[in-house]
Amino acid sequence: ALTVSDVDSLSSVYALSNAGRQDTINVEWTAATVEGKADTALVAANSTGLKGGLSTINVSNGNGIETVQLATSGTNYLNVNGGTAAKTITVTGSGTNNITVTGANGALLLDASATTGDQTLTVTGYLSGTNDTILGGSGDDTVVAAISATTVATITDIETLDLSFADAQTFDAKN
């Protein structure tokens, strides 16, 4: 694992590129750097992780990041932890991705509309309210989620939904 500490700028891109190995990068910003309400972490992945072992991009320290922008290429198996403040996860690029999003609470915008590869997007700790939005790209996209409360989500360009339900829960996909 690599930890980058005391980062005082949001302008750098932190990347994992490890030719199919499982790895972790932790980016830790100073409190002053992420004290605003519109802080964006720029991260990238190129052919990282294994089908049986996800690599991790963790930008959750201090829970000060509101948006995670992930640029991808190659085939990636990733866990992306944006922390509890992260409400927007944007995925771009040509990568064929298996991404698990963890860490946040509340309404989620998971935007993979600018991707061209196939996406499998697993959302944990989300999809339990009425304001979630998931946007797929031009590839063959799948969303995997557990539904623990009555949920209404806006879903666009997702070809497959793989949902599991708690007792007596409903899921209403708008669009």
Short mmCIF file of all heavy atoms in Angstrom, two decimals, residues 83-139:
data_model
loop_
_atom_site.label_atom_id
_atom_site.label_comp_id
_atom_site.label_asym_id
_atom_site.label_seq_id
_atom_site.Cartn_x
_atom_site.Cartn_y
_atom_site.Cartn_z
N GLY A 83 -15.34 8.35 1.16
CA GLY A 83 -15.69 8.88 2.47
C GLY A 83 -17.14 9.29 2.54
O GLY A 83 -17.87 9.27 1.55
N THR A 84 -17.57 9.69 3.73
CA THR A 84 -18.99 9.97 3.95
C THR A 84 -19.47 11.26 3.29
O THR A 84 -20.66 11.45 3.11
CB THR A 84 -19.32 10.03 5.45
OG1 THR A 84 -18.52 11.04 6.07
CG2 THR A 84 -19.07 8.68 6.11
N ALA A 85 -18.57 12.16 2.93
CA ALA A 85 -18.99 13.40 2.27
C ALA A 85 -19.14 13.24 0.76
O ALA A 85 -19.78 14.06 0.12
CB ALA A 85 -17.98 14.52 2.56
N ALA A 86 -18.57 12.20 0.18
CA ALA A 86 -18.59 12.02 -1.28
C ALA A 86 -20.00 11.69 -1.75
O ALA A 86 -20.54 10.64 -1.41
CB ALA A 86 -17.62 10.94 -1.70
N LYS A 87 -20.56 12.56 -2.53
CA LYS A 87 -21.91 12.37 -3.06
C LYS A 87 -21.89 12.14 -4.57
O LYS A 87 -22.89 11.73 -5.14
CB LYS A 87 -22.79 13.58 -2.76
CG LYS A 87 -22.87 13.94 -1.29
CD LYS A 87 -23.50 12.84 -0.47
CE LYS A 87 -23.66 13.26 0.97
NZ LYS A 87 -23.32 12.27 1.92
N THR A 88 -20.75 12.43 -5.21
CA THR A 88 -20.63 12.25 -6.65
C THR A 88 -19.38 11.44 -6.96
O THR A 88 -18.28 11.79 -6.52
CB THR A 88 -20.54 13.61 -7.38
OG1 THR A 88 -21.71 14.37 -7.08
CG2 THR A 88 -20.41 13.43 -8.87
N ILE A 89 -19.57 10.36 -7.70
CA ILE A 89 -18.46 9.55 -8.21
C ILE A 89 -18.59 9.58 -9.73
O ILE A 89 -19.61 9.15 -10.27
CB ILE A 89 -18.50 8.09 -7.73
CG1 ILE A 89 -18.70 8.00 -6.21
CG2 ILE A 89 -17.29 7.32 -8.23
CD1 ILE A 89 -17.53 8.45 -5.39
N THR A 90 -17.57 10.12 -10.41
CA THR A 90 -17.59 10.21 -11.87
C THR A 90 -16.51 9.29 -12.41
O THR A 90 -15.35 9.36 -11.99
CB THR A 90 -17.32 11.66 -12.33
OG1 THR A 90 -18.31 12.51 -11.75
CG2 THR A 90 -17.39 11.77 -13.83
N VAL A 91 -16.90 8.41 -13.34
CA VAL A 91 -15.97 7.48 -13.98
C VAL A 91 -15.89 7.84 -15.45
O VAL A 91 -16.93 8.01 -16.10
CB VAL A 91 -16.43 6.01 -13.80
CG1 VAL A 91 -15.42 5.06 -14.41
CG2 VAL A 91 -16.67 5.69 -12.34
N THR A 92 -14.67 7.96 -15.98
CA THR A 92 -14.47 8.29 -17.39
C THR A 92 -13.48 7.32 -18.00
O THR A 92 -12.81 6.57 -17.31
CB THR A 92 -13.95 9.73 -17.56
OG1 THR A 92 -12.66 9.82 -16.93
CG2 THR A 92 -14.89 10.76 -16.96
N GLY A 93 -13.36 7.36 -19.32
CA GLY A 93 -12.32 6.63 -20.02
C GLY A 93 -12.80 5.37 -20.70
O GLY A 93 -13.99 5.06 -20.75
N SER A 94 -11.82 4.63 -21.21
CA SER A 94 -12.09 3.44 -22.01
C SER A 94 -11.98 2.15 -21.21
O SER A 94 -12.10 1.07 -21.76
CB SER A 94 -11.11 3.39 -23.18
OG SER A 94 -9.78 3.31 -22.68
N GLY A 95 -11.74 2.25 -19.92
CA GLY A 95 -11.53 1.07 -19.09
C GLY A 95 -12.75 0.15 -19.03
O GLY A 95 -13.89 0.60 -19.08
N THR A 96 -12.47 -1.14 -18.94
CA THR A 96 -13.48 -2.14 -18.61
C THR A 96 -13.36 -2.32 -17.11
O THR A 96 -12.34 -2.81 -16.63
CB THR A 96 -13.23 -3.46 -19.36
OG1 THR A 96 -13.34 -3.20 -20.76
CG2 THR A 96 -14.21 -4.54 -18.95
N ASN A 97 -14.38 -1.90 -16.38
CA ASN A 97 -14.23 -1.73 -14.95
C ASN A 97 -15.22 -2.55 -14.14
O ASN A 97 -16.39 -2.66 -14.50
CB ASN A 97 -14.41 -0.26 -14.58
CG ASN A 97 -13.42 0.63 -15.29
OD1 ASN A 97 -12.23 0.41 -15.19
ND2 ASN A 97 -13.91 1.63 -15.99
N ASN A 98 -14.72 -3.08 -13.02
CA ASN A 98 -15.53 -3.67 -11.98
C ASN A 98 -15.24 -2.82 -10.75
O ASN A 98 -14.20 -2.99 -10.12
CB ASN A 98 -15.16 -5.13 -11.76
CG ASN A 98 -16.06 -5.82 -10.79
OD1 ASN A 98 -16.48 -5.23 -9.79
ND2 ASN A 98 -16.38 -7.07 -11.06
N ILE A 99 -16.14 -1.88 -10.45
CA ILE A 99 -15.89 -0.89 -9.41
C ILE A 99 -16.90 -1.06 -8.28
O ILE A 99 -18.10 -1.10 -8.52
CB ILE A 99 -15.98 0.54 -9.98
CG1 ILE A 99 -14.91 0.75 -11.05
CG2 ILE A 99 -15.85 1.57 -8.87
CD1 ILE A 99 -15.03 2.05 -11.80
N THR A 100 -16.40 -1.15 -7.05
CA THR A 100 -17.24 -1.14 -5.86
C THR A 100 -17.06 0.22 -5.21
O THR A 100 -15.94 0.63 -4.92
CB THR A 100 -16.84 -2.26 -4.89
OG1 THR A 100 -17.02 -3.52 -5.55
CG2 THR A 100 -17.68 -2.22 -3.64
N VAL A 101 -18.17 0.91 -4.99
CA VAL A 101 -18.14 2.23 -4.37
C VAL A 101 -18.58 2.08 -2.92
O VAL A 101 -19.64 1.52 -2.64
CB VAL A 101 -19.08 3.20 -5.12
CG1 VAL A 101 -19.09 4.56 -4.45
CG2 VAL A 101 -18.67 3.32 -6.57
N THR A 102 -17.74 2.55 -1.99
CA THR A 102 -18.04 2.44 -0.56
C THR A 102 -17.83 3.78 0.13
O THR A 102 -17.20 4.68 -0.42
CB THR A 102 -17.12 1.40 0.12
OG1 THR A 102 -15.76 1.83 -0.01
CG2 THR A 102 -17.29 0.02 -0.46
N GLY A 103 -18.35 3.89 1.34
CA GLY A 103 -17.99 5.00 2.21
C GLY A 103 -19.02 6.08 2.40
O GLY A 103 -19.13 6.65 3.47
N ALA A 104 -19.80 6.44 1.40
CA ALA A 104 -20.66 7.61 1.52
C ALA A 104 -22.01 7.29 2.11
O ALA A 104 -22.44 6.15 2.16
CB ALA A 104 -20.84 8.27 0.15
N ASN A 105 -22.66 8.34 2.54
CA ASN A 105 -24.02 8.26 3.06
C ASN A 105 -24.86 9.27 2.30
O ASN A 105 -24.37 10.31 1.88
CB ASN A 105 -24.06 8.62 4.54
CG ASN A 105 -23.33 7.61 5.38
OD1 ASN A 105 -23.50 6.42 5.21
ND2 ASN A 105 -22.49 8.08 6.29
N GLY A 106 -26.13 9.00 2.12
CA GLY A 106 -27.02 9.96 1.47
C GLY A 106 -27.12 9.74 -0.02
O GLY A 106 -26.69 8.73 -0.55
N ALA A 107 -27.72 10.71 -0.68
CA ALA A 107 -27.97 10.61 -2.13
C ALA A 107 -26.66 10.49 -2.89
O ALA A 107 -25.67 11.15 -2.59
CB ALA A 107 -28.74 11.83 -2.60
N LEU A 108 -26.67 9.66 -3.91
CA LEU A 108 -25.48 9.37 -4.70
C LEU A 108 -25.73 9.69 -6.17
O LEU A 108 -26.77 9.34 -6.71
CB LEU A 108 -25.12 7.89 -4.58
CG LEU A 108 -24.07 7.35 -5.56
CD1 LEU A 108 -22.70 7.91 -5.23
CD2 LEU A 108 -24.05 5.84 -5.54
N LEU A 109 -24.76 10.34 -6.80
CA LEU A 109 -24.70 10.44 -8.25
C LEU A 109 -23.49 9.63 -8.68
O LEU A 109 -22.35 10.00 -8.38
CB LEU A 109 -24.55 11.89 -8.73
CG LEU A 109 -24.21 12.07 -10.21
CD1 LEU A 109 -25.25 11.42 -11.11
CD2 LEU A 109 -24.01 13.53 -10.54
N LEU A 110 -23.74 8.49 -9.31
CA LEU A 110 -22.67 7.64 -9.86
C LEU A 110 -22.75 7.79 -11.36
O LEU A 110 -23.65 7.25 -12.00
CB LEU A 110 -22.86 6.19 -9.42
CG LEU A 110 -21.85 5.17 -9.94
CD1 LEU A 110 -20.42 5.60 -9.66
CD2 LEU A 110 -22.12 3.81 -9.32
N ASP A 111 -21.82 8.55 -11.92
CA ASP A 111 -21.88 8.96 -13.31
C ASP A 111 -20.77 8.29 -14.12
O ASP A 111 -19.62 8.68 -14.05
CB ASP A 111 -21.77 10.47 -13.41
CG ASP A 111 -21.91 10.99 -14.83
OD1 ASP A 111 -22.01 10.19 -15.78
OD2 ASP A 111 -21.91 12.23 -14.99
N ALA A 112 -21.15 7.25 -14.89
CA ALA A 112 -20.21 6.59 -15.79
C ALA A 112 -20.60 6.85 -17.23
O ALA A 112 -20.26 6.08 -18.13
CB ALA A 112 -20.17 5.10 -15.49
N SER A 113 -21.30 7.95 -17.48
CA SER A 113 -21.83 8.24 -18.82
C SER A 113 -20.73 8.53 -19.84
O SER A 113 -20.97 8.39 -21.04
CB SER A 113 -22.82 9.41 -18.76
OG SER A 113 -22.19 10.59 -18.32
N ALA A 114 -19.54 8.90 -19.39
CA ALA A 114 -18.45 9.20 -20.32
C ALA A 114 -17.52 8.00 -20.52
O ALA A 114 -16.42 8.15 -21.05
CB ALA A 114 -17.65 10.41 -19.83
N THR A 115 -17.96 6.80 -20.12
CA THR A 115 -17.14 5.61 -20.31
C THR A 115 -17.52 4.91 -21.61
O THR A 115 -18.66 4.98 -22.04
CB THR A 115 -17.29 4.62 -19.15
OG1 THR A 115 -18.66 4.21 -19.06
CG2 THR A 115 -16.83 5.22 -17.83
N THR A 116 -16.53 4.22 -22.19
CA THR A 116 -16.80 3.45 -23.40
C THR A 116 -16.64 1.96 -23.18
O THR A 116 -17.12 1.17 -23.98
CB THR A 116 -15.87 3.90 -24.55
OG1 THR A 116 -14.51 3.75 -24.13
CG2 THR A 116 -16.13 5.35 -24.92
N GLY A 117 -15.99 1.55 -22.10
CA GLY A 117 -15.85 0.13 -21.79
C GLY A 117 -17.04 -0.38 -21.01
O GLY A 117 -17.92 0.39 -20.60
N ASP A 118 -17.10 -1.69 -20.80
CA ASP A 118 -18.16 -2.29 -19.99
C ASP A 118 -17.92 -1.98 -18.52
O ASP A 118 -16.78 -2.08 -18.04
CB ASP A 118 -18.19 -3.80 -20.19
CG ASP A 118 -18.56 -4.19 -21.62
OD1 ASP A 118 -19.05 -3.33 -22.38
OD2 ASP A 118 -18.34 -5.37 -21.97
N GLN A 119 -18.99 -1.63 -17.80
CA GLN A 119 -18.89 -1.26 -16.39
C GLN A 119 -19.73 -2.21 -15.55
O GLN A 119 -20.89 -2.48 -15.89
CB GLN A 119 -19.40 0.16 -16.16
CG GLN A 119 -18.83 1.22 -17.06
CD GLN A 119 -17.33 1.37 -16.94
OE1 GLN A 119 -16.81 1.51 -15.84
NE2 GLN A 119 -16.64 1.32 -18.06
N THR A 120 -19.16 -2.73 -14.45
CA THR A 120 -19.94 -3.37 -13.41
C THR A 120 -19.75 -2.50 -12.18
O THR A 120 -18.65 -2.37 -11.66
CB THR A 120 -19.47 -4.81 -13.13
OG1 THR A 120 -19.64 -5.58 -14.33
CG2 THR A 120 -20.27 -5.44 -11.99
N LEU A 121 -20.83 -1.86 -11.76
CA LEU A 121 -20.79 -0.89 -10.68
C LEU A 121 -21.54 -1.46 -9.48
O LEU A 121 -22.76 -1.64 -9.54
CB LEU A 121 -21.44 0.42 -11.14
CG LEU A 121 -20.87 1.00 -12.45
CD1 LEU A 121 -21.74 2.12 -12.97
CD2 LEU A 121 -19.44 1.45 -12.25
N THR A 122 -20.80 -1.76 -8.42
CA THR A 122 -21.40 -2.28 -7.21
C THR A 122 -21.46 -1.15 -6.20
O THR A 122 -20.45 -0.53 -5.90
CB THR A 122 -20.57 -3.46 -6.65
OG1 THR A 122 -20.49 -4.48 -7.66
CG2 THR A 122 -21.19 -4.03 -5.39
N VAL A 123 -22.65 -0.89 -5.70
CA VAL A 123 -22.81 0.20 -4.75
C VAL A 123 -23.17 -0.38 -3.38
O VAL A 123 -24.08 -1.19 -3.25
CB VAL A 123 -23.86 1.22 -5.23
CG1 VAL A 123 -23.33 2.03 -6.38
CG2 VAL A 123 -25.15 0.55 -5.64
N THR A 124 -22.38 0.00 -2.36
CA THR A 124 -22.62 -0.46 -1.00
C THR A 124 -22.86 0.77 -0.13
O THR A 124 -22.20 1.78 -0.28
CB THR A 124 -21.44 -1.26 -0.45
OG1 THR A 124 -20.28 -0.44 -0.43
CG2 THR A 124 -21.17 -2.50 -1.28
N GLY A 125 -23.83 0.67 0.77
CA GLY A 125 -24.14 1.79 1.63
C GLY A 125 -24.95 2.86 0.92
O GLY A 125 -25.19 3.93 1.46
N TYR A 126 -25.38 2.60 -0.29
CA TYR A 126 -26.16 3.54 -1.07
C TYR A 126 -27.50 2.90 -1.42
O TYR A 126 -27.85 1.84 -0.92
CB TYR A 126 -25.45 3.87 -2.39
CG TYR A 126 -24.17 4.61 -2.26
CD1 TYR A 126 -22.97 3.99 -2.55
CD2 TYR A 126 -24.14 5.94 -1.88
CE1 TYR A 126 -21.77 4.67 -2.45
CE2 TYR A 126 -22.95 6.63 -1.78
CZ TYR A 126 -21.77 6.00 -2.07
OH TYR A 126 -20.59 6.66 -1.98
N LEU A 127 -28.20 3.51 -2.35
CA LEU A 127 -29.46 3.00 -2.87
C LEU A 127 -30.43 2.64 -1.75
O LEU A 127 -30.97 1.56 -1.68
CB LEU A 127 -29.24 1.80 -3.79
CG LEU A 127 -28.46 2.08 -5.06
CD1 LEU A 127 -28.44 0.85 -5.94
CD2 LEU A 127 -28.99 3.27 -5.82
N SER A 128 -30.61 3.59 -0.86
CA SER A 128 -31.56 3.37 0.22
C SER A 128 -32.47 4.57 0.40
O SER A 128 -33.07 4.74 1.45
CB SER A 128 -30.81 3.07 1.52
OG SER A 128 -29.98 4.16 1.87
N GLY A 129 -32.56 5.40 -0.62
CA GLY A 129 -33.38 6.58 -0.51
C GLY A 129 -34.11 6.88 -1.80
O GLY A 129 -34.43 5.98 -2.56
N THR A 130 -34.37 8.16 -2.04
CA THR A 130 -35.16 8.54 -3.20
C THR A 130 -34.42 9.45 -4.17
O THR A 130 -35.01 9.92 -5.12
CB THR A 130 -36.45 9.26 -2.76
OG1 THR A 130 -36.09 10.43 -2.00
CG2 THR A 130 -37.31 8.34 -1.92
N ASN A 131 -33.16 9.71 -3.94
CA ASN A 131 -32.46 10.68 -4.78
C ASN A 131 -31.22 10.14 -5.46
O ASN A 131 -30.37 10.90 -5.90
CB ASN A 131 -32.08 11.91 -3.95
CG ASN A 131 -33.30 12.64 -3.43
OD1 ASN A 131 -34.22 12.91 -4.19
ND2 ASN A 131 -33.32 12.92 -2.14
N ASP A 132 -31.06 8.84 -5.54
CA ASP A 132 -29.88 8.26 -6.17
C ASP A 132 -30.00 8.31 -7.68
O ASP A 132 -31.08 8.12 -8.24
CB ASP A 132 -29.68 6.81 -5.73
CG ASP A 132 -29.50 6.68 -4.23
OD1 ASP A 132 -28.68 7.43 -3.67
OD2 ASP A 132 -30.17 5.84 -3.62
N THR A 133 -28.87 8.57 -8.36
CA THR A 133 -28.83 8.60 -9.81
C THR A 133 -27.62 7.80 -10.28
O THR A 133 -26.51 8.01 -9.80
CB THR A 133 -28.71 10.04 -10.35
OG1 THR A 133 -29.84 10.79 -9.88
CG2 THR A 133 -28.68 10.08 -11.86
N ILE A 134 -27.85 6.88 -11.21
CA ILE A 134 -26.77 6.08 -11.78
C ILE A 134 -26.84 6.19 -13.28
O ILE A 134 -27.88 5.90 -13.88
CB ILE A 134 -26.87 4.61 -11.34
CG1 ILE A 134 -26.82 4.53 -9.81
CG2 ILE A 134 -25.74 3.79 -11.95
CD1 ILE A 134 -27.07 3.16 -9.25
N LEU A 135 -25.74 6.62 -13.89
CA LEU A 135 -25.67 6.83 -15.33
C LEU A 135 -24.61 5.91 -15.92
O LEU A 135 -23.45 5.98 -15.52
CB LEU A 135 -25.31 8.29 -15.64
CG LEU A 135 -26.18 9.36 -14.97
CD1 LEU A 135 -25.60 10.74 -15.22
CD2 LEU A 135 -27.61 9.26 -15.45
N GLY A 136 -25.01 5.06 -16.85
CA GLY A 136 -24.08 4.19 -17.53
C GLY A 136 -23.53 4.85 -18.77
O GLY A 136 -23.99 5.91 -19.19
N GLY A 137 -22.54 4.20 -19.39
CA GLY A 137 -21.91 4.72 -20.60
C GLY A 137 -22.35 3.95 -21.82
O GLY A 137 -23.42 3.33 -21.85
N SER A 138 -21.46 3.91 -22.82
CA SER A 138 -21.81 3.27 -24.09
C SER A 138 -21.53 1.77 -24.10
O SER A 138 -21.91 1.09 -25.04
CB SER A 138 -21.07 3.94 -25.25
OG SER A 138 -19.67 3.80 -25.09
N GLY A 139 -20.90 1.24 -23.06
CA GLY A 139 -20.63 -0.20 -22.99
C GLY A 139 -21.82 -0.96 -22.43
O GLY A 139 -22.91 -0.43 -22.26
#
